Amino acid sequence: MELTHPLNRTEFGSSDHIGNLMSEEQAMDLLRDWVKNEKLLFHMQQVGHLLKKYAESKGLPSQEVHLWHLSGLLHDADWDQWPDEHCKKIIAELEARNQDPRLIKAIASHGPRYFGVDPDSELDKMLYAFDELSGFVHAYSLMRPQGYDGMEIKGVKKRLKDKSFAAQVSRDDISDASQRAAVPVEDLIQFVIDHQLRE
């Protein structure tokens, strides 16, 4: 399959900048400047929150938790105004700000079918895993009278089989991400149900 947004490289940032991470406030300032679509902004906040909670569940130190959180917050930052430059523009911005290369790499690899960069680290893989699934579960919550309350894995999986529902969500990406992360789809769905930010 032809890449739609090839980055044409596999190295991002500089190892000299490991540990350099903007604050959450700085990330949100960037997003408010770049992202006018409130639904997209909320999606990034949802994915960031899931990654933060997942990192906490793994017992990672606070600086690592912050890294995971930022990766989710910023992964689609350039999609709203510059879709043709996704993810090149946010990568260039983060490199110009001397940000941690792990943050940049995670963003560069959150869609291997599109960008041509394989997710290698656990952070890379979990950002890829939560991205599409977060949006899908949220779409499912909006059609349920009780939203997330009482939501079950089997209901989500039933909707995944219905290709007409949330058709823009790639089922192949969800399956591929689950395999790469070595986390069953059912476990990923349950984590999203339990920890997703709600409107």
Side-chain angles (χ1 to χ4, degrees), residues 46 50 130-144 147-148 151-153 155-157 159-160 165-166 169 174 185 188-197:
Q46 285 183 314
L50 286 171
F130 282 137
D131 184 20
E132 293 286 287
L133 197 55
S134 171
F136 187 87
V137 172
H138 187 62
Y140 180 45
S141 79
L142 295 177
M143 64 162 289
R144 302 180 75 246
Y148 286 90
M151 186 184 291
E152 296 182 347
I153 295 170
V156 177
K157 291 188 73 175
R159 288 294 168 183
L160 280 170
F165 178 76
V169 175
I174 289 174
V185 170
L188 292 171
I189 292 171
Q190 189 64 61
F191 194 91
V192 174
I193 293 171
D194 291 343
H195 298 284
Q196 182 99 287
L197 279 179

Side-chain angles (χ1 to χ4, degrees), residues 95-115:
E95 288 180 330
R97 295 187 186 208
N98 296 331
Q99 291 295 289
D100 193 314
R102 297 172 297 173
L103 168 63
I104 304 169
K105 171 60 165 53
I107 291 172
S109 61
H110 82 266
R113 284 199 306 138
Y114 312 100
F115 312 122

Side-chain angles (χ1 to χ4, degrees), residues 68-84:
W68 283 56
H69 187 201
L70 286 182
S71 299
L73 269 182
L74 296 171
H75 77 282
D76 279 342
D78 53 15
W79 177 251
D80 188 27
Q81 296 195 61
W82 306 279
D84 292 340

Side-chain angles (χ1 to χ4, degrees), residues 10-161:
T10 56
E11 299 294 324
F12 302 93
S14 168
S15 59
D16 293 340
H17 301 143
I18 289 177
N20 288 359
L21 293 169
M22 67 177 70
S23 67
E24 181 179 349
E25 291 73 24
Q26 289 172 316
M28 289 306 300
D29 284 344
L30 188 156
L31 291 178
R32 278 188 281 267
D33 187 34
W34 283 23
V35 183
K36 308 309 176 186
N37 183 323
E38 291 295 326
K39 289 183 179 180
L40 177 61
L41 180 60
F42 188 57
H43 163 69
M44 287 185 281
Q45 290 174 302
Q46 285 183 314
V47 176
H49 186 72
L50 286 171
L51 285 168
K52 178 181 178 181
K53 289 299 181 184
Y54 193 84
E56 288 175 347
S57 76
K58 302 284 285 187
L60 298 181
S62 59
Q63 181 79 345
E64 296 288 304
V65 172
H66 183 54
L67 166 64
W68 283 56
H69 187 201
L70 286 182
S71 299
L73 269 182
L74 296 171
H75 77 282
D76 279 342
D78 53 15
W79 177 251
D80 188 27
Q81 296 195 61
W82 306 279
D84 292 340
E85 296 181 61
H86 184 52
C87 283
K88 290 179 181 177
K89 190 167 182 66
I90 184 59
I91 288 171
E93 179 72 18
L94 295 175
E95 288 180 330
R97 295 187 186 208
N98 296 331
Q99 291 295 289
D100 193 314
R102 297 172 297 173
L103 168 63
I104 304 169
K105 171 60 165 53
I107 291 172
S109 61
H110 82 266
R113 284 199 306 138
Y114 312 100
F115 312 122
V117 181
D118 284 328
D120 299 312
S121 70
E122 186 174 24
L123 168 57
D124 297 350
K125 293 172 183 176
M126 294 312 298
L127 172 54
Y128 180 34
F130 282 137
D131 184 20
E132 293 286 287
L133 197 55
S134 171
F136 187 87
V137 172
H138 187 62
Y140 180 45
S141 79
L142 295 177
M143 64 162 289
R144 302 180 75 246
Q146 63 275 53
Y148 286 90
D149 294 340
M151 186 184 291
E152 296 182 347
I153 295 170
K154 64 182 180 182
V156 177
K157 291 188 73 175
K158 182 178 179 181
R159 288 294 168 183
L160 280 170
K161 292 177 182 176

